[in-house]
Amino acid sequence: MDLRQLEAEPTEDEREAIDARLGSHPQREGTHFAAGLRRDRRHLLLPALQAAQARVGWISEGVLAYICKRLDVPPADAWGVATFYGLLSMEPRPRRVLHVCDDIACRCSGANELIAELERTLGVGDGAAWQRSPCLGLCDQAPAAFLTVAGPAPAERLFGPVTAEQARAVLAPEGTLPAMRRPRPPQAGDPSLRLLERVGIVDPGSLDEYQAHGGYQALARAFEMGPERVIREVLDSKLMGRGGAAFPMGRKWDAVARQPARPHYLICNADESEPGTFKDRVLMEGDPFAVVESMTICAYATGCEKGYVYARGEYPLAFERLQGAIEAARARGLLGADVMGHGVRFDIEIRRGAGAYICGEETAIFNSIEGFRGEPRNKPPFPVEVGLFGKPTVVNNVETLVNVLGIVREGGAAYARIGTPQSTGPKLFCVSGHVVRPGVYEVEFGATLRDLLALAGGVAGGRKAQAILLGGAAGVFVRGDELDIALTFEEARAAQVTLGSGVVMVFDDSVDLTSILLRIAAFFRDESCGQCVPCRVGTVRQEEALHRIVTGRPHGSTGAELALLDEIGRAMKDASICGLGQTAYGAVESAARRLKLFEKGKVG
Ligand SMILES: Cc1cc2nc3c(=O)[nH]c(=O)nc-3n(C[C@H](O)[C@H](O)[C@H](O)COP(=O)(O)O)c2cc1C
Ligand code: SF4
Ligand code: FES
């Protein structure tokens, strides 16, 4: 694209798509929720770009220029944002595009063979109607695919397991869109479930069914308690965040509630892009009202009048169901200006990501919503003081939030008795790879890796587990004989592993782990936002060194390359701004040290 071409005009279709998203009267654009004030319109940039993408399948010079004029954003700046996201294209593309997962769990279910077949029959490269994708968050239905269809009535489908034949069929101009069927959750109906109690049991589109199964009792109880008592219960529960960083939720809520600056914001982090993670999708698709209710409790306790769900762009069914739940709740007075008649104002808006793993980092979400590139911010200041739009902000993960329903209903002390003293409550694990029944499993903290594997039916085909990846690409490998590790924060620390976002990915003894490691390294190289040097350069150098080792062409010796990897890894860990760079070496390091993958005779 030539930025000098920004005098170009949009087509009628493009203009219509942008006017539909921004409103046809420019003076209405900045109307901001809480204050009703006209504010910076920049926060509409990503939604406008997404509207153009959905209408014509790519972002032309003409539409970019039109968006810039409508929102008063400099063209070079808007270009920087548009090129940041994997789902936005700055080049003409077919109206139907299939994103096929070639990531690590899907490789255990034939993704490589599927992709080879697509390359042979549909071609490769920018003009092709399909492209490779990192993990799509559908690892339990591997190999997974995400279809986007641009047009006046755009459509999206996240589905799997996909075959080459089906891929070709859905890419045909009038091809039938695939259904988004979901397997019945493996534990559905188990009366001991807390987080998954309604998933696969209730109709996710029915507020009546939600209420008939205990829905909105927790919010009613919260109103009886009052905001301070709700926070007290959350503190007593000792609930730690489930998004990966394991920060105590109560402390975050308490800090925001005390901030004098207004307004306060709540963000439900539903970006879920860590390879191997799909628990939040299962919650949002299967029990969307639980997300809405728990956000309302949080908002009440912390004084937020506006909440955002920052939802992964590749999750159309979760988006549809959450949107339906928000509208149904609003229609019944469970959201809006006077929630349940208690004089509390709270509403929720969903903002969709556009294909960037880094946008799950909490401060990157702020930039993404505000219409900037999704680059993390330096901390401090922390989000509880200076967050979204510079205001105090609670950011919590979907699973973390859903825990609040049980805490409010049963009390923090009772909740704290579940699990172990330092890791309280139930926990969701995303079990994928070579297991008989991949899926999301709920256990109490304290269950071992062996327990989880047993729940998932053991290693598929009666083979042996060679290695298990805990915590996703940002996590670490353990050996197949380390199944007695208890999955708690304290034991994970002691065993020098991480629970991260709850990934348990099993690789049997037939897998070439070096190819898995190369995919992980490529993931970090692709997803680094490039803002800081150790990560931007380190992730590239890490991939190159690994490649040389794996292909048997080390500079010097394998030992020298491993020492180099270690040095790069240390620099990334110590000097990167955010968790992406800090964890980019974890899987490689554990493969070298724990699995001894590069010892003589094993590679090269
Ligand atoms: C690169 C990166 C990606 C992240 N992605 C997610 C994500 O997709 N979902 C999430 O909840 N947290 C993610 N986090 C963690 C968030 O920054 C933050 O800690 C979390 O949303 C806080 O919620 P919690 O306390 O409820 O876990 C990510 C962090 C990093 C560094
Ligand atoms: S560590 Fe990587 S992803 Fe994080 S800010 Fe630096 S360059 Fe960006
Ligand atoms: S959906 Fe393919 S690895 Fe997760």
Side-chain angles (χ1 to χ4, degrees), residues 264-287:
H264 294 177
Y265 290 106
L266 162 61
I267 294 176
C268 169
N269 189 346
D271 195 49
E272 193 163 74
S273 309
E274 179 68 52
T277 315
F278 46 100
K279 65 193 177 64
D280 297 339
R281 174 183 59 74
V282 166
L283 283 171
M284 291 186 284
E285 289 179 350
D287 199 8

mmCIF file with all atom_site columns, all heavy atoms in Angstrom, residues 264-287:
data_model
loop_
_atom_site.group_PDB
_atom_site.id
_atom_site.type_symbol
_atom_site.label_atom_id
_atom_site.label_alt_id
_atom_site.label_comp_id
_atom_site.label_asym_id
_atom_site.label_entity_id
_atom_site.label_seq_id
_atom_site.pdbx_PDB_ins_code
_atom_site.Cartn_x
_atom_site.Cartn_y
_atom_site.Cartn_z
_atom_site.occupancy
_atom_site.B_iso_or_equiv
_atom_site.pdbx_formal_charge
_atom_site.auth_seq_id
_atom_site.auth_comp_id
_atom_site.auth_asym_id
_atom_site.auth_atom_id
_atom_site.pdbx_PDB_model_num
ATOM 1   N N   . HIS A 1 264 ? -14.205 3.900   36.810 1.00 0.00 ? 264 HIS A N   1
ATOM 2   C CA  . HIS A 1 264 ? -13.446 2.658   36.904 1.00 0.00 ? 264 HIS A CA  1
ATOM 3   C C   . HIS A 1 264 ? -13.912 1.754   35.760 1.00 0.00 ? 264 HIS A C   1
ATOM 4   O O   . HIS A 1 264 ? -15.094 1.764   35.411 1.00 0.00 ? 264 HIS A O   1
ATOM 5   C CB  . HIS A 1 264 ? -13.731 1.939   38.231 1.00 0.00 ? 264 HIS A CB  1
ATOM 6   C CG  . HIS A 1 264 ? -13.249 2.679   39.434 1.00 0.00 ? 264 HIS A CG  1
ATOM 7   N ND1 . HIS A 1 264 ? -13.463 2.230   40.718 1.00 0.00 ? 264 HIS A ND1 1
ATOM 8   C CD2 . HIS A 1 264 ? -12.544 3.838   39.556 1.00 0.00 ? 264 HIS A CD2 1
ATOM 9   C CE1 . HIS A 1 264 ? -12.937 3.079   41.583 1.00 0.00 ? 264 HIS A CE1 1
ATOM 10  N NE2 . HIS A 1 264 ? -12.375 4.062   40.900 1.00 0.00 ? 264 HIS A NE2 1
ATOM 11  N N   . TYR A 1 265 ? -12.989 0.979   35.232 1.00 0.00 ? 265 TYR A N   1
ATOM 12  C CA  . TYR A 1 265 ? -13.355 0.043   34.162 1.00 0.00 ? 265 TYR A CA  1
ATOM 13  C C   . TYR A 1 265 ? -13.081 -1.396  34.576 1.00 0.00 ? 265 TYR A C   1
ATOM 14  O O   . TYR A 1 265 ? -12.177 -1.663  35.376 1.00 0.00 ? 265 TYR A O   1
ATOM 15  C CB  . TYR A 1 265 ? -12.545 0.337   32.890 1.00 0.00 ? 265 TYR A CB  1
ATOM 16  C CG  . TYR A 1 265 ? -12.931 1.631   32.211 1.00 0.00 ? 265 TYR A CG  1
ATOM 17  C CD1 . TYR A 1 265 ? -12.102 2.745   32.280 1.00 0.00 ? 265 TYR A CD1 1
ATOM 18  C CD2 . TYR A 1 265 ? -14.116 1.734   31.492 1.00 0.00 ? 265 TYR A CD2 1
ATOM 19  C CE1 . TYR A 1 265 ? -12.451 3.934   31.654 1.00 0.00 ? 265 TYR A CE1 1
ATOM 20  C CE2 . TYR A 1 265 ? -14.478 2.923   30.867 1.00 0.00 ? 265 TYR A CE2 1
ATOM 21  C CZ  . TYR A 1 265 ? -13.645 4.015   30.952 1.00 0.00 ? 265 TYR A CZ  1
ATOM 22  O OH  . TYR A 1 265 ? -13.987 5.184   30.340 1.00 0.00 ? 265 TYR A OH  1
ATOM 23  N N   . LEU A 1 266 ? -13.859 -2.280  33.975 1.00 0.00 ? 266 LEU A N   1
ATOM 24  C CA  . LEU A 1 266 ? -13.625 -3.720  34.153 1.00 0.00 ? 266 LEU A CA  1
ATOM 25  C C   . LEU A 1 266 ? -13.370 -4.321  32.777 1.00 0.00 ? 266 LEU A C   1
ATOM 26  O O   . LEU A 1 266 ? -14.121 -4.048  31.833 1.00 0.00 ? 266 LEU A O   1
ATOM 27  C CB  . LEU A 1 266 ? -14.878 -4.372  34.773 1.00 0.00 ? 266 LEU A CB  1
ATOM 28  C CG  . LEU A 1 266 ? -14.996 -5.895  34.638 1.00 0.00 ? 266 LEU A CG  1
ATOM 29  C CD1 . LEU A 1 266 ? -13.833 -6.612  35.315 1.00 0.00 ? 266 LEU A CD1 1
ATOM 30  C CD2 . LEU A 1 266 ? -16.322 -6.379  35.236 1.00 0.00 ? 266 LEU A CD2 1
ATOM 31  N N   . ILE A 1 267 ? -12.331 -5.134  32.696 1.00 0.00 ? 267 ILE A N   1
ATOM 32  C CA  . ILE A 1 267 ? -12.098 -5.880  31.451 1.00 0.00 ? 267 ILE A CA  1
ATOM 33  C C   . ILE A 1 267 ? -12.082 -7.366  31.768 1.00 0.00 ? 267 ILE A C   1
ATOM 34  O O   . ILE A 1 267 ? -11.324 -7.821  32.639 1.00 0.00 ? 267 ILE A O   1
ATOM 35  C CB  . ILE A 1 267 ? -10.770 -5.478  30.778 1.00 0.00 ? 267 ILE A CB  1
ATOM 36  C CG1 . ILE A 1 267 ? -10.850 -4.024  30.309 1.00 0.00 ? 267 ILE A CG1 1
ATOM 37  C CG2 . ILE A 1 267 ? -10.467 -6.399  29.595 1.00 0.00 ? 267 ILE A CG2 1
ATOM 38  C CD1 . ILE A 1 267 ? -9.564  -3.492  29.727 1.00 0.00 ? 267 ILE A CD1 1
ATOM 39  N N   . CYS A 1 268 ? -12.934 -8.090  31.084 1.00 0.00 ? 268 CYS A N   1
ATOM 40  C CA  . CYS A 1 268 ? -12.887 -9.547  31.162 1.00 0.00 ? 268 CYS A CA  1
ATOM 41  C C   . CYS A 1 268 ? -11.978 -10.005 30.029 1.00 0.00 ? 268 CYS A C   1
ATOM 42  O O   . CYS A 1 268 ? -12.279 -9.792  28.848 1.00 0.00 ? 268 CYS A O   1
ATOM 43  C CB  . CYS A 1 268 ? -14.300 -10.108 30.994 1.00 0.00 ? 268 CYS A CB  1
ATOM 44  S SG  . CYS A 1 268 ? -14.308 -11.894 30.750 1.00 0.00 ? 268 CYS A SG  1
ATOM 45  N N   . ASN A 1 269 ? -10.856 -10.605 30.413 1.00 0.00 ? 269 ASN A N   1
ATOM 46  C CA  . ASN A 1 269 ? -9.860  -11.010 29.421 1.00 0.00 ? 269 ASN A CA  1
ATOM 47  C C   . ASN A 1 269 ? -10.251 -12.353 28.814 1.00 0.00 ? 269 ASN A C   1
ATOM 48  O O   . ASN A 1 269 ? -10.104 -13.403 29.434 1.00 0.00 ? 269 ASN A O   1
ATOM 49  C CB  . ASN A 1 269 ? -8.475  -11.079 30.086 1.00 0.00 ? 269 ASN A CB  1
ATOM 50  C CG  . ASN A 1 269 ? -7.365  -11.271 29.072 1.00 0.00 ? 269 ASN A CG  1
ATOM 51  O OD1 . ASN A 1 269 ? -7.622  -11.613 27.915 1.00 0.00 ? 269 ASN A OD1 1
ATOM 52  N ND2 . ASN A 1 269 ? -6.131  -11.058 29.506 1.00 0.00 ? 269 ASN A ND2 1
ATOM 53  N N   . ALA A 1 270 ? -10.797 -12.281 27.603 1.00 0.00 ? 270 ALA A N   1
ATOM 54  C CA  . ALA A 1 270 ? -11.251 -13.485 26.897 1.00 0.00 ? 270 ALA A CA  1
ATOM 55  C C   . ALA A 1 270 ? -10.460 -13.631 25.605 1.00 0.00 ? 270 ALA A C   1
ATOM 56  O O   . ALA A 1 270 ? -10.978 -14.097 24.598 1.00 0.00 ? 270 ALA A O   1
ATOM 57  C CB  . ALA A 1 270 ? -12.751 -13.378 26.614 1.00 0.00 ? 270 ALA A CB  1
ATOM 58  N N   . ASP A 1 271 ? -9.188  -13.228 25.652 1.00 0.00 ? 271 ASP A N   1
ATOM 59  C CA  . ASP A 1 271 ? -8.390  -13.265 24.419 1.00 0.00 ? 271 ASP A CA  1
ATOM 60  C C   . ASP A 1 271 ? -7.858  -14.668 24.129 1.00 0.00 ? 271 ASP A C   1
ATOM 61  O O   . ASP A 1 271 ? -7.670  -15.031 22.965 1.00 0.00 ? 271 ASP A O   1
ATOM 62  C CB  . ASP A 1 271 ? -7.239  -12.264 24.503 1.00 0.00 ? 271 ASP A CB  1
ATOM 63  C CG  . ASP A 1 271 ? -6.654  -12.025 23.122 1.00 0.00 ? 271 ASP A CG  1
ATOM 64  O OD1 . ASP A 1 271 ? -7.443  -11.777 22.201 1.00 0.00 ? 271 ASP A OD1 1
ATOM 65  O OD2 . ASP A 1 271 ? -5.429  -12.111 22.953 1.00 0.00 ? 271 ASP A OD2 1
ATOM 66  N N   . GLU A 1 272 ? -7.602  -15.409 25.167 1.00 0.00 ? 272 GLU A N   1
ATOM 67  C CA  . GLU A 1 272 ? -7.239  -16.832 25.101 1.00 0.00 ? 272 GLU A CA  1
ATOM 68  C C   . GLU A 1 272 ? -6.517  -17.273 23.823 1.00 0.00 ? 272 GLU A C   1
ATOM 69  O O   . GLU A 1 272 ? -7.086  -18.004 23.006 1.00 0.00 ? 272 GLU A O   1
ATOM 70  C CB  . GLU A 1 272 ? -8.493  -17.694 25.275 1.00 0.00 ? 272 GLU A CB  1
ATOM 71  C CG  . GLU A 1 272 ? -8.130  -19.161 25.525 1.00 0.00 ? 272 GLU A CG  1
ATOM 72  C CD  . GLU A 1 272 ? -9.282  -19.947 26.108 1.00 0.00 ? 272 GLU A CD  1
ATOM 73  O OE1 . GLU A 1 272 ? -10.238 -20.263 25.381 1.00 0.00 ? 272 GLU A OE1 1
ATOM 74  O OE2 . GLU A 1 272 ? -9.206  -20.253 27.306 1.00 0.00 ? 272 GLU A OE2 1
ATOM 75  N N   . SER A 1 273 ? -5.278  -16.845 23.690 1.00 0.00 ? 273 SER A N   1
ATOM 76  C CA  . SER A 1 273 ? -4.532  -17.247 22.489 1.00 0.00 ? 273 SER A CA  1
ATOM 77  C C   . SER A 1 273 ? -3.303  -18.086 22.801 1.00 0.00 ? 273 SER A C   1
ATOM 78  O O   . SER A 1 273 ? -2.505  -18.367 21.904 1.00 0.00 ? 273 SER A O   1
ATOM 79  C CB  . SER A 1 273 ? -4.100  -16.013 21.702 1.00 0.00 ? 273 SER A CB  1
ATOM 80  O OG  . SER A 1 273 ? -5.200  -15.163 21.485 1.00 0.00 ? 273 SER A OG  1
ATOM 81  N N   . GLU A 1 274 ? -3.130  -18.467 24.069 1.00 0.00 ? 274 GLU A N   1
ATOM 82  C CA  . GLU A 1 274 ? -1.981  -19.303 24.412 1.00 0.00 ? 274 GLU A CA  1
ATOM 83  C C   . GLU A 1 274 ? -2.184  -20.681 23.788 1.00 0.00 ? 274 GLU A C   1
ATOM 84  O O   . GLU A 1 274 ? -3.209  -21.325 24.030 1.00 0.00 ? 274 GLU A O   1
ATOM 85  C CB  . GLU A 1 274 ? -1.924  -19.442 25.950 1.00 0.00 ? 274 GLU A CB  1
ATOM 86  C CG  . GLU A 1 274 ? -0.796  -20.301 26.484 1.00 0.00 ? 274 GLU A CG  1
ATOM 87  C CD  . GLU A 1 274 ? 0.571   -19.664 26.254 1.00 0.00 ? 274 GLU A CD  1
ATOM 88  O OE1 . GLU A 1 274 ? 0.741   -18.501 26.634 1.00 0.00 ? 274 GLU A OE1 1
ATOM 89  O OE2 . GLU A 1 274 ? 1.437   -20.347 25.672 1.00 0.00 ? 274 GLU A OE2 1
ATOM 90  N N   . PRO A 1 275 ? -1.238  -21.146 22.954 1.00 0.00 ? 275 PRO A N   1
ATOM 91  C CA  . PRO A 1 275 ? -1.445  -22.443 22.317 1.00 0.00 ? 275 PRO A CA  1
ATOM 92  C C   . PRO A 1 275 ? -1.801  -23.544 23.320 1.00 0.00 ? 275 PRO A C   1
ATOM 93  O O   . PRO A 1 275 ? -1.143  -23.700 24.353 1.00 0.00 ? 275 PRO A O   1
ATOM 94  C CB  . PRO A 1 275 ? -0.092  -22.708 21.647 1.00 0.00 ? 275 PRO A CB  1
ATOM 95  C CG  . PRO A 1 275 ? 0.403   -21.335 21.311 1.00 0.00 ? 275 PRO A CG  1
ATOM 96  C CD  . PRO A 1 275 ? -0.030  -20.480 22.473 1.00 0.00 ? 275 PRO A CD  1
ATOM 97  N N   . GLY A 1 276 ? -2.872  -24.243 23.025 1.00 0.00 ? 276 GLY A N   1
ATOM 98  C CA  . GLY A 1 276 ? -3.316  -25.330 23.887 1.00 0.00 ? 276 GLY A CA  1
ATOM 99  C C   . GLY A 1 276 ? -4.397  -24.913 24.870 1.00 0.00 ? 276 GLY A C   1
ATOM 100 O O   . GLY A 1 276 ? -4.904  -25.743 25.623 1.00 0.00 ? 276 GLY A O   1
ATOM 101 N N   . THR A 1 277 ? -4.795  -23.632 24.877 1.00 0.00 ? 277 THR A N   1
ATOM 102 C CA  . THR A 1 277 ? -5.769  -23.151 25.863 1.00 0.00 ? 277 THR A CA  1
ATOM 103 C C   . THR A 1 277 ? -7.143  -22.979 25.216 1.00 0.00 ? 277 THR A C   1
ATOM 104 O O   . THR A 1 277 ? -7.261  -22.321 24.181 1.00 0.00 ? 277 THR A O   1
ATOM 105 C CB  . THR A 1 277 ? -5.316  -21.789 26.434 1.00 0.00 ? 277 THR A CB  1
ATOM 106 O OG1 . THR A 1 277 ? -3.930  -21.857 26.734 1.00 0.00 ? 277 THR A OG1 1
ATOM 107 C CG2 . THR A 1 277 ? -6.086  -21.434 27.688 1.00 0.00 ? 277 THR A CG2 1
ATOM 108 N N   . PHE A 1 278 ? -8.160  -23.566 25.829 1.00 0.00 ? 278 PHE A N   1
ATOM 109 C CA  . PHE A 1 278 ? -9.510  -23.407 25.264 1.00 0.00 ? 278 PHE A CA  1
ATOM 110 C C   . PHE A 1 278 ? -10.597 -23.439 26.329 1.00 0.00 ? 278 PHE A C   1
ATOM 111 O O   . PHE A 1 278 ? -11.774 -23.533 26.037 1.00 0.00 ? 278 PHE A O   1
ATOM 112 C CB  . PHE A 1 278 ? -9.785  -24.471 24.185 1.00 0.00 ? 278 PHE A CB  1
ATOM 113 C CG  . PHE A 1 278 ? -9.398  -25.888 24.550 1.00 0.00 ? 278 PHE A CG  1
ATOM 114 C CD1 . PHE A 1 278 ? -10.351 -26.790 24.994 1.00 0.00 ? 278 PHE A CD1 1
ATOM 115 C CD2 . PHE A 1 278 ? -8.098  -26.321 24.436 1.00 0.00 ? 278 PHE A CD2 1
ATOM 116 C CE1 . PHE A 1 278 ? -10.004 -28.098 25.334 1.00 0.00 ? 278 PHE A CE1 1
ATOM 117 C CE2 . PHE A 1 278 ? -7.730  -27.631 24.766 1.00 0.00 ? 278 PHE A CE2 1
ATOM 118 C CZ  . PHE A 1 278 ? -8.692  -28.508 25.213 1.00 0.00 ? 278 PHE A CZ  1
ATOM 119 N N   . LYS A 1 279 ? -10.218 -23.304 27.584 1.00 0.00 ? 279 LYS A N   1
ATOM 120 C CA  . LYS A 1 279 ? -11.187 -23.362 28.688 1.00 0.00 ? 279 LYS A CA  1
ATOM 121 C C   . LYS A 1 279 ? -12.155 -22.176 28.683 1.00 0.00 ? 279 LYS A C   1
ATOM 122 O O   . LYS A 1 279 ? -13.342 -22.345 28.953 1.00 0.00 ? 279 LYS A O   1
ATOM 123 C CB  . LYS A 1 279 ? -10.436 -23.425 30.026 1.00 0.00 ? 279 LYS A CB  1
ATOM 124 C CG  . LYS A 1 279 ? -9.640  -22.159 30.286 1.00 0.00 ? 279 LYS A CG  1
ATOM 125 C CD  . LYS A 1 279 ? -8.640  -22.276 31.425 1.00 0.00 ? 279 LYS A CD  1
ATOM 126 C CE  . LYS A 1 279 ? -7.818  -21.034 31.605 1.00 0.00 ? 279 LYS A CE  1
ATOM 127 N NZ  . LYS A 1 279 ? -8.483  -19.816 31.987 1.00 0.00 ? 279 LYS A NZ  1
ATOM 128 N N   . ASP A 1 280 ? -11.626 -20.974 28.369 1.00 0.00 ? 280 ASP A N   1
ATOM 129 C CA  . ASP A 1 280 ? -12.495 -19.793 28.394 1.00 0.00 ? 280 ASP A CA  1
ATOM 130 C C   . ASP A 1 280 ? -13.526 -19.870 27.264 1.00 0.00 ? 280 ASP A C   1
ATOM 131 O O   . ASP A 1 280 ? -14.667 -19.438 27.424 1.00 0.00 ? 280 ASP A O   1
ATOM 132 C CB  . ASP A 1 280 ? -11.664 -18.503 28.281 1.00 0.00 ? 280 ASP A CB  1
ATOM 133 C CG  . ASP A 1 280 ? -10.721 -18.318 29.463 1.00 0.00 ? 280 ASP A CG  1
ATOM 134 O OD1 . ASP A 1 280 ? -10.971 -18.920 30.522 1.00 0.00 ? 280 ASP A OD1 1
ATOM 135 O OD2 . ASP A 1 280 ? -9.720  -17.585 29.328 1.00 0.00 ? 280 ASP A OD2 1
ATOM 136 N N   . ARG A 1 281 ? -13.102 -20.426 26.135 1.00 0.00 ? 281 ARG A N   1
ATOM 137 C CA  . ARG A 1 281 ? -14.067 -20.620 25.045 1.00 0.00 ? 281 ARG A CA  1
ATOM 138 C C   . ARG A 1 281 ? -15.197 -21.534 25.497 1.00 0.00 ? 281 ARG A C   1
ATOM 139 O O   . ARG A 1 281 ? -16.384 -21.245 25.262 1.00 0.00 ? 281 ARG A O   1
ATOM 140 C CB  . ARG A 1 281 ? -13.368 -21.225 23.806 1.00 0.00 ? 281 ARG A CB  1
ATOM 141 C CG  . ARG A 1 281 ? -14.349 -21.586 22.689 1.00 0.00 ? 281 ARG A CG  1
ATOM 142 C CD  . ARG A 1 281 ? -13.674 -22.239 21.506 1.00 0.00 ? 281 ARG A CD  1
ATOM 143 N NE  . ARG A 1 281 ? -12.968 -23.459 21.812 1.00 0.00 ? 281 ARG A NE  1
ATOM 144 C CZ  . ARG A 1 281 ? -13.548 -24.635 22.080 1.00 0.00 ? 281 ARG A CZ  1
ATOM 145 N NH1 . ARG A 1 281 ? -14.862 -24.753 22.082 1.00 0.00 ? 281 ARG A NH1 1
ATOM 146 N NH2 . ARG A 1 281 ? -12.816 -25.698 22.357 1.00 0.00 ? 281 ARG A NH2 1
ATOM 147 N N   . VAL A 1 282 ? -14.834 -22.627 26.156 1.00 0.00 ? 282 VAL A N   1
ATOM 148 C CA  . VAL A 1 282 ? -15.850 -23.580 26.603 1.00 0.00 ? 282 VAL A CA  1
ATOM 149 C C   . VAL A 1 282 ? -16.820 -22.908 27.582 1.00 0.00 ? 282 VAL A C   1
ATOM 150 O O   . VAL A 1 282 ? -18.039 -23.091 27.500 1.00 0.00 ? 282 VAL A O   1
ATOM 151 C CB  . VAL A 1 282 ? -15.167 -24.835 27.216 1.00 0.00 ? 282 VAL A CB  1
ATOM 152 C CG1 . VAL A 1 282 ? -16.138 -25.688 27.998 1.00 0.00 ? 282 VAL A CG1 1
ATOM 153 C CG2 . VAL A 1 282 ? -14.516 -25.652 26.098 1.00 0.00 ? 282 VAL A CG2 1
ATOM 154 N N   . LEU A 1 283 ? -16.298 -22.072 28.468 1.00 0.00 ? 283 LEU A N   1
ATOM 155 C CA  . LEU A 1 283 ? -17.175 -21.356 29.411 1.00 0.00 ? 283 LEU A CA  1
ATOM 156 C C   . LEU A 1 283 ? -18.079 -20.362 28.677 1.00 0.00 ? 283 LEU A C   1
ATOM 157 O O   . LEU A 1 283 ? -19.287 -20.298 28.923 1.00 0.00 ? 283 LEU A O   1
ATOM 158 C CB  . LEU A 1 283 ? -16.341 -20.605 30.457 1.00 0.00 ? 283 LEU A CB  1
ATOM 159 C CG  . LEU A 1 283 ? -15.733 -21.433 31.581 1.00 0.00 ? 283 LEU A CG  1
ATOM 160 C CD1 . LEU A 1 283 ? -14.754 -20.591 32.397 1.00 0.00 ? 283 LEU A CD1 1
ATOM 161 C CD2 . LEU A 1 283 ? -16.808 -22.020 32.495 1.00 0.00 ? 283 LEU A CD2 1
ATOM 162 N N   . MET A 1 284 ? -17.505 -19.606 27.766 1.00 0.00 ? 284 MET A N   1
ATOM 163 C CA  . MET A 1 284 ? -18.301 -18.569 27.074 1.00 0.00 ? 284 MET A CA  1
ATOM 164 C C   . MET A 1 284 ? -19.332 -19.182 26.142 1.00 0.00 ? 284 MET A C   1
ATOM 165 O O   . MET A 1 284 ? -20.455 -18.704 26.044 1.00 0.00 ? 284 MET A O   1
ATOM 166 C CB  . MET A 1 284 ? -17.384 -17.629 26.280 1.00 0.00 ? 284 MET A CB  1
ATOM 167 C CG  . MET A 1 284 ? -16.525 -16.756 27.174 1.00 0.00 ? 284 MET A CG  1
ATOM 168 S SD  . MET A 1 284 ? -15.584 -15.534 26.231 1.00 0.00 ? 284 MET A SD  1
ATOM 169 C CE  . MET A 1 284 ? -14.294 -16.531 25.526 1.00 0.00 ? 284 MET A CE  1
ATOM 170 N N   . GLU A 1 285 ? -18.945 -20.256 25.467 1.00 0.00 ? 285 GLU A N   1
ATOM 171 C CA  . GLU A 1 285 ? -19.905 -20.897 24.562 1.00 0.00 ? 285 GLU A CA  1
ATOM 172 C C   . GLU A 1 285 ? -20.993 -21.636 25.334 1.00 0.00 ? 285 GLU A C   1
ATOM 173 O O   . GLU A 1 285 ? -22.148 -21.671 24.919 1.00 0.00 ? 285 GLU A O   1
ATOM 174 C CB  . GLU A 1 285 ? -19.188 -21.911 23.646 1.00 0.00 ? 285 GLU A CB  1
ATOM 175 C CG  . GLU A 1 285 ? -18.299 -21.286 22.598 1.00 0.00 ? 285 GLU A CG  1
ATOM 176 C CD  . GLU A 1 285 ? -17.567 -22.307 21.721 1.00 0.00 ? 285 GLU A CD  1
ATOM 177 O OE1 . GLU A 1 285 ? -17.588 -23.522 22.041 1.00 0.00 ? 285 GLU A OE1 1
ATOM 178 O OE2 . GLU A 1 285 ? -16.967 -21.906 20.731 1.00 0.00 ? 285 GLU A OE2 1
ATOM 179 N N   . GLY A 1 286 ? -20.596 -22.235 26.458 1.00 0.00 ? 286 GLY A N   1
ATOM 180 C CA  . GLY A 1 286 ? -21.523 -23.129 27.157 1.00 0.00 ? 286 GLY A CA  1
ATOM 181 C C   . GLY A 1 286 ? -22.303 -22.482 28.283 1.00 0.00 ? 286 GLY A C   1
ATOM 182 O O   . GLY A 1 286 ? -23.371 -22.970 28.658 1.00 0.00 ? 286 GLY A O   1
ATOM 183 N N   . ASP A 1 287 ? -21.784 -21.390 28.858 1.00 0.00 ? 287 ASP A N   1
ATOM 184 C CA  . ASP A 1 287 ? -22.458 -20.773 30.006 1.00 0.00 ? 287 ASP A CA  1
ATOM 185 C C   . ASP A 1 287 ? -22.235 -19.252 29.992 1.00 0.00 ? 287 ASP A C   1
ATOM 186 O O   . ASP A 1 287 ? -21.685 -18.682 30.945 1.00 0.00 ? 287 ASP A O   1
ATOM 187 C CB  . ASP A 1 287 ? -21.901 -21.388 31.307 1.00 0.00 ? 287 ASP A CB  1
ATOM 188 C CG  . ASP A 1 287 ? -22.833 -21.170 32.496 1.00 0.00 ? 287 ASP A CG  1
ATOM 189 O OD1 . ASP A 1 287 ? -23.968 -20.680 32.306 1.00 0.00 ? 287 ASP A OD1 1
ATOM 190 O OD2 . ASP A 1 287 ? -22.413 -21.503 33.629 1.00 0.00 ? 287 ASP A OD2 1
#
